[in-house]
Each structure stands twice: as structure tokens, then as C-alpha cells.
Amino acid sequence: MKTGPLRRKGNPSAAKRWMERLRASSIQSIIMWSFSAFILLIVAVVAVLLYNKFSRTAEENVFLSTQQIVDQVSYNLEDYVDGMAQLYRAIEDNMLRDGRWDDDQVTRQLDTIMSSRDDIVSIALFDDRGGLLRNHPEVPLRKSARVSEQSWFHAAMRVPDHLGFSLPHIQNLYNGTYIWVVSMSKGITVVHDGKPTRVVLLVDINFKKIDELSSRISLGKRGYVYIIDEGAGNIVYHPQQQLIYMGLRNESVEKALTSSDSYIDESAGVKRLNTVQSVVNIGWKVVGVSYLDEIMTTREEVNRYMVQVVVVVLVMAFLISMLLAAVLSRPIRRMGKTMKAVERGDFDVELPMKGPLEVVQLSSRFNLMLDKIRQLMRQIIVEQESKRKYELEALQAQINPHFLYNTLNSVVRMVGMSKNEDVITMITSLSKLFRISLSKGKTTITVREELEHARHYLTIQQMRFKKKFDFAIEAEEEALPCFTLKLVLQPLIENAIVHGIEYMVDEGMIRVKAYVRDGLLALEVADNGVGMSPQKLQGMLVELEAGIGAEASGPDGGSGSGSNSGSGVAVRNVHARIRLYYGAQYGLSYESEQEEGTTVRVLMPVMRQSAEEAEQDE
Amino acid sequence: MNRRLAIARISLLGTALLLAAVLLASCRAAGLGEAEKAPMRIVLIAPVHAGEQGDAMRLGAEAAVKEFGAELDYIAFEPHEDEKEQLAAALAAVEGGASAVLIDPAGDEVLGALAHEASAQGAPVVTLNDERGAKGVQTSITADYEEAGRQAGEAMAELLGGSGTVAVMRPDRPDPDMERREVGARAALAEYAGITVTDGAACGNSRDACWQAAKQMLDHLKADGALALEASASLGLADEVKRRGEQGKLKIVTFGSEMEQLELLQEGSLHKLVVQNGFSTGYLGVKQAVSLLSGERVDKLIRLETRVIDADNMFWMNNQKMLFPFVQ
């Protein structure tokens, strides 16, 4: 008892566990189990409904059929009694009307009756003191036969003109025969020899007739019909009459005597349905006995059959659902297998376009996705190749032979002019320039280093161009630790010198700025040189955009294609590199006004890590 | 991988099919097992010189097998057949695979041999109308012979009005049951001072032989009443009384309910019959046998009622029921 609440508490968690297990299990098992459970439920419900309906109907049928059979038996008996009454009338009319019973005509008539009715044992006529007047067949009466003491004689004398039926008894009127008979007797008043005389007409019918009327009736397997007399409840007929006579069997007739309908009798230890019907005119009652446990037996048989059917249906349902689940989940498993192959790096697989609609749709999406991945991978390969090429180009630009030649020429000239101080500055700057350019092969460097690099470059160029321009480097503290692609500023500065400052009459001014605006890192190179016409500016921008396409399309698109000198190529290179590294929204922008100067701005995302670190993090 | 999956699937399917087959088979088998219960075959070996008593026993046994769902083999004997034939028939029945044997044995040897053979075969033996137990006899259904004898003695005393000579006709073979009847009768008659009991005659199962015996007895003996322990003796005695034309003078009390006895009773040649019911004997015999075969414990001995009837009361309803088997 104590486990009750515990179990109740335990149940939801078990159910939850089941739900979780179900959710975690495969589609195949979900389909299989739910389908089986569903069919089990339906079959069980149908079986229970059918079973209930069946047992109700079976019970009703037993009540009905018992009633009908008992009615039928009582109709048969009534019919028989009617026939006997007619026989009596015929005998009265033909033989007793004129009070003569011993002529030949009567004998012939009795012969006819006897030969037509095998159930009649004997016909006899007695006077009111029991003396034999006439009998048929004509055999002598037993000496010891005491007719006036017989119950049928009493009944006929007591109630004249009423056809009475005795209980079954041994016919003891004649010698040598001991037949069980039912005696019908009627007291009749006839005019004999001119005076009214009371006579008793006795017809003994073989009890076998009653037996035949009732014994073949069976109610179910063990049910039967018996007949009692309404007066005292004596058994008139019973299929086991001898056993009852011997006291080896009992029939509880008390309730049948008082009842006129069906009732349940449990006196014999089993439930029996007793149906009672009175037989009019004869004072008998027909009692039908049906065993109710037979209904239970039938029910159990049906039950067993149902269980068999349910089991078979279940097994079939299980098999079908297993098949169905396998068919449905096969494409999904196939998909999973294909995906695993992709996961392992085999991108050349393709899902077949077959199966249910959803699977076909999913397969097509998957194939499209795979296609896209393949395309992207090709693109990445191309981009990587471009990156390497641009980097190489940037380095080549750095070790530009012209630049080196010019610089070294300047150094020689300075040595010739004994400007030792300048020579030291220049050589130092050159050396630092190269060191930063190389910067251990890294792709990105800090803004600080980039600015440092720009400063050395500007220093060298300033000395080469004999201080034709001055320069200033300004940087926000915030921008300095940010990372940038290396060698971004140098081509821009070179461009500014070559196109902006070189043709100026006055001394030029180049400003290099680094700052962070709106989450973007901006590097700016501004000159106050000749500037550009809007047309030229437009041309530059177009060239810049086209350049990257040209560069990306092939490794050889580069150096000689521009109308301008190598520095134009280098600027395009910068733009392309930034966009490759950081995305298409970044890159160079120009602002220029003729005779006022040009400003080139490089925009890129704020990066707090070097390219190598970022790669490692990924 | 693929093949393993396929194998797993096939094996699962196979298991399910096998399960279904086994379930179906078990259902079918259970159903058959219930239907096929070999019926019990009960053999009723009638008494030799059975007469109507044997028919009544047969009717009772038939009613019982119908009720209990068994089969009955009834083995009857011709009037000339005797103990030897009964024994042979009984042994043959046991050999033939009878589930149980009911027997009204003609003698000790029959019962002994049959009981021995039957217990070897495991078939229970029920004796009818016989109290002689033997090893292997499980139960007996019989009237109380001594009580029946006492009833006969009382009836005789009543007929004689308490005084007279009573001759006893006994069987010509040792039969403990008959001896018990005599003991009972003598005990009852001994209470009447006016009644003397003398040994009359002895005869077997033949009516003619008994007639001869009765003739000799009546030639030598002046008796007021005669007590015939067996039906055949009563018939022979009645024949002799009729021959002498002295019906009613010699009061005859006897045992049995043969049709001839009943006729003689109504004629007035016989005066009282002590009857027992053969139907009940047969019915209860089968019932006991069925109980034994079902492994139930049964009483060692069932006593049946005996009743004294005469010409006056033989058609009373209760006596009718006892005397005349209901033909169904």
C-alpha cells in the first residue's frame, strides 16, 4: 500500500523518460512503434466493443430462445391436449350418444382410433362404481385392479365433464403389462337403457409420447425442459426422471410453481435461467432450464478467438509498420550517409532525385548546396592564389629596382657631396624600410609599424627629391595598435609624390593620418599637389574597380596594363588586396580637386589581432 | 555497413514471423488439447442370470454415462453362462483398455482375478450388489443384505401372525451375501417366540431345479411360511405351491423384483418381496467410477435402500418408481 503514492509519483517521470527516448530514437522506430501502438489501440477498442456487443446479444438470445422453446413445448402440449379433447368428443358423439357401447360398429370405430393413434395404450369405459363396461383392446381386467381407488377415477367422479390428466404411473389394470402411462379420464353422463348413467371414459396414453414431445428439446448444450403439475409440483416429465424418482437428483420446483415468467435459479450451485409457461386446460407447467455459464463458455471462446485475432493483427501490423518505417526512413538514411561522405571531404557525391516528394525536395536543396560549396571552394582557391600574387607584387614593388637605383644614386651623390649625415639617415631609413617590409613574412602589421614604414619611405623620398616637399604623420592613439595589411601606404605615398608633388612649383606637403571612425580604421594620404579633374578622378575610380576584376581574372593581368606608371598598378594592388582580405565594402576612396590636392583614404575594419593569430583562432 | 543493416533487418523480420507462427500454433494447439479428451470407457459386467435387475442396472448406468460424458460397455450373459464366462469377459474388458470396471461378481475367484488384473492395469473396480471386498476393489454399491434379511423376517412374522414354522431356501453354493440375508432374517424371526425356523432346501439359479427342491422340501416339511433367499428359489417354490393348488396357504417372502415375481405377487402366490433398485445401483456405480477416475476420494461402501412390497402397496407411487424402470 505504501508503494501506491510512490509509484504514482514515479509514473510521470517514467513517461517523460519514454517521451525523451522516443524523441531521441530514430524515425524508423518512431513510425514502427507508434503505428503498432495505434493499431493495437484500434484493434483493442474494436475487440472490446465487439465482445461487449456479442455477450449482450448472446445473453438476450439465450433468454429469447429459452422463452421460445418453452412456448413451443407448451403449444405442442396444448395442441396434443386439444387433439385428445377432440378424440373424447368423437367417442362421446359416436359411441355414447345412444348409450350403446358393445356393438360391432363401436368395435370398428375403436379399432380405427387405436390403429390411427399409436400413443393410445388402451381405452376403457367404467361405470360409477368402477365396473368395467367396455375396453379396447379387449383384455380381461386384472383381479387385483382396484379401479375405484385410482386417482384418475376419483378425479373424473369429482369433476364431471372435465378432461383430467393424471401424473405418469404404471398402468395396472391388465395382466402382464407394466407401461408408464398418463391417464386421461372424464366423467360423462349417458342415457343407458333409458336411464341416465354416470360413466368414466379412460384413455391411457403411453408416457413415451410426452417424453417424445419434450425430450428432444435441448437448451444450449446442457439445458433441458421439464414439466410439473401446477397443483402439487410433482414432476410430470423430466429428462432424468428416473434419477429424480430415485432421489438421486433434485429439481427445485417451488419457485417454478409460483412463477409465470423467467427467473434465475441458483439452488443447484450454478446459475440457471428457468423459464416457466403454463399449459392451459391440463394444469401443467413447462419449465425450460438454460445454463447461464454456457454463455460464459461461449464468451470465453469468443474471447480466446479475439485474442488470437488481435495477436495476428498485431504481428501483421508490426511487420507492416516495420516495412513502412524502413521504406520511409531509407532515403533519410541515404541522405545521412551522403552527408557523412561530404563531411569526410568527398564533395563529388550527389543525392539521387527519387523517393517521396519531401525527400526529392530535400535532395535537390542538398545538391544545390553542395554545388554552391564546390563553387565557393573554387573561388577560395582562386582568391588565395590572388592574395599570394598581390603580396608578391607588393614586395616586388618594394624592391623596385628603380627605387633602389634612384635611392642608391642619391646616396652616391650625397657621398660625393660629403653629406655624411644625410647618407647615414638615408641608409638607416632604407634598412628599416626593408626590415618592416619583410616583417618576418607576416601579412599584417600594426598601424604603428606601417606608419613607421611610411615615415622611412617619406624620409628617403624627401632626400631624393631635395626637400621638394615636407611631410607630416598624425595618428590617433587608438589606431596605433590596430592591425593593417602591410605596405598599404607606400604605393599611395609614391603615387602622391609622382603625380601630385613632382610637377609642383611650390614646396609640397604630404600628410599621412591614421584614425578610427565609426568602427573603421582609416589610413589617409593627402597631398596639396596638382589634383585631378573630375573626369580623371572618375577614370581613376573606374580603373580601380576594373583593375581588381582584371587582376582577379588572371595572374598576368597586372603590371603593364595601366596607362600610368607602375605606381598606378601598385595602387590597384592595394585596393584589391584590402578587398580580398576584408571584403568588398572596404578599400580605397579618392577625394581630389584641381590645384588643391588629392586625398586617398584606405578604409578597413578595426582588427586587434594579426592575420596569423586570427587564423589560429579560427 | 549496408549488408550488416540488411542482415539485421531480415533477422528482425524473421524473428517477428517466427513469433507469429509460434503464437498461432500455440493457440491452435491449446484449442485442440481441450477438444481432445478421450472419453472414459466404463465397462459394466452384468450379473450372471441377471434378469430384470441387470436391465435396470444397465439403464441406471446409461443415464449416468450420459450425464458424465463417458462411454458404457454393457456385457450381458446368456442364461446358461456362468462364473467362468463372467471371469473371461471381465478379463477381456480389462485387456481391452477399460477405464473402469463395474461388476456384480458371480464368485470370489472372479472378483479376485479381476481385481488383480485391473489394479495391474490401473483401472478401478467397483462391485455392485456385493460386499466382498478384494484387493483392488475401490468401492462397493450394495444393499445392506443383513438389513434386507431382517426386513424379510419381520414381514414373514407379520404374515404368520407371530407363530408358525418357517422354512429357508438357500442357494446351493457358498455366498456370503445370501448368508447375511439369512442371518438377518433369522435374527428378526428369533424375536418371535412362536416362530420356528427350519432349514428347508438349497438350489441354484435354475427355476426348475428350485421347483424340484421345493417339492422335496414341502413333501417332507410342514411349513407355514417359506423364506426364499434368491429369486430363482422363490419362482420354483411358487411353481410348486401352484401345482399343489395351495396358493396363499404357504406364506412366501422373498427377495427381488423380477417381472415373474411381481405377477406371482399379484396372483397371491408370493406374499412379500424385499426389493432394491437396480437403476440406482448402475447409476451410482458409474458415478463412483467417474469420481475415482477424476482422482476424487469416494466412500468405500454405498448402502442402498431396500423396501418390502406386497400386492397392496406395489402400485403406490414410491414403489412404482422403484419397481418399474422408467423407459426413456
Side-chain angles (χ1 to χ4, degrees), chain B residues 52-296:
Chain B
E52 272 100 20
Q53 181 76 10
D55 293 337
M57 275 158 60
R58 178 190 192 161
L59 284 172
E62 274 170 356
V65 291
K66 206 164 127 195
E67 186 175 334
F68 300 118
E71 274 175 12
L72 180 74
D73 270 3
Y74 178 71
I75 300 175
F77 300 96
E78 298 295 319
H80 61 84
E81 290 177 326
D82 214 323
E83 227 176 297
K84 209 172 71 192
E85 285 82 5
Q86 196 191 34
L87 177 60
L91 293 180
V94 174
E95 289 292 319
S99 312
V101 182
L102 314 184
I103 188 165
D104 185 339
D108 282 334
E109 302 90 80
V110 178
L111 188 60
L114 170 68
H116 179 74
E117 184 69 22
S119 58
Q121 298 274 334
V125 174
V126 180
T127 55
L128 307 176
N129 299 329
D130 202 300
E131 270 185 60
R132 283 174 288 190
K135 198 166 175 290
V137 175
Q138 271 77 3
T139 178
S140 305
I141 290 127
T142 179
D144 185 340
Y145 286 99
E146 209 173 314
E147 173 60 26
R150 197 170 291 122
Q151 283 177 331
E154 292 288 344
M156 177 61 87
E158 196 188 320
L159 281 170
L160 296 180
S163 66
T165 312
V166 176
V168 179
M169 279 190 86
R170 62 165 69 86
D172 58 355
R173 62 186 186 281
D175 187 329
D177 295 338
M178 297 302 122
E179 282 160 20
R180 300 256 295 288
R181 274 182 184 166
E182 193 178 341
V183 167
R186 280 175 185 271
L189 290 170
E191 287 175 21
Y192 297 89
I195 291 177
T196 345
V197 182
T198 59
D199 286 345
C203 66
N205 283 313
S206 153
R207 184 173 179 168
D208 282 343
C210 286
W211 175 38
Q212 294 297 330
K215 200 171 158 190
Q216 283 184 10
M217 181 182 84
L218 292 180
D219 285 345
H220 295 99
L221 202 76
K222 177 78 190 84
D224 302 304
L227 185 67
L229 295 178
E230 274 191 304
S232 53
S234 71
L235 294 178
L237 194 57
D239 288 347
E240 174 59 18
V241 170
K242 266 207 258 182
R243 194 189 63 81
R244 292 174 180 235
E246 293 175 355
Q247 286 119 298
K249 263 187 174 174
L250 179 72
K251 307 295 181 197
I252 304 175
V253 175
T254 186
F255 301 83
S257 55
E258 301 292 312
M259 210 53 89
E260 286 128 329
Q261 287 178 304
L262 294 177
E263 286 296 321
L264 292 168
L265 187 70
Q266 294 191 74
E267 275 176 20
S269 300
L270 301 181
H271 297 88
K272 300 266 184 187
L273 294 178
V274 178
V275 298
Q276 71 176 83
N277 186 263
F279 185 92
S280 300
T281 312
Y283 178 85
L284 290 172
V286 171
K287 193 176 170 189
Q288 293 289 82
V290 169
S291 299
L292 281 169
L293 289 173
S294 327
E296 291 165 31

Side-chain angles (χ1 to χ4, degrees), chain A residues 44-58:
Chain A
V45 165
V46 168
V48 165
L49 288 180
L50 276 182
Y51 176 69
N52 282 343
K53 175 76 187 155
F54 173 83
S55 35
R56 255 206 314 280
T57 315

Side-chain angles (χ1 to χ4, degrees), chain A residues 89 153 219 252 317 320 382 574:
Chain A
R89 269 199 298 282
F153 188 82
L219 295 165
S252 55
I320 289 172
V382 168
V574 168

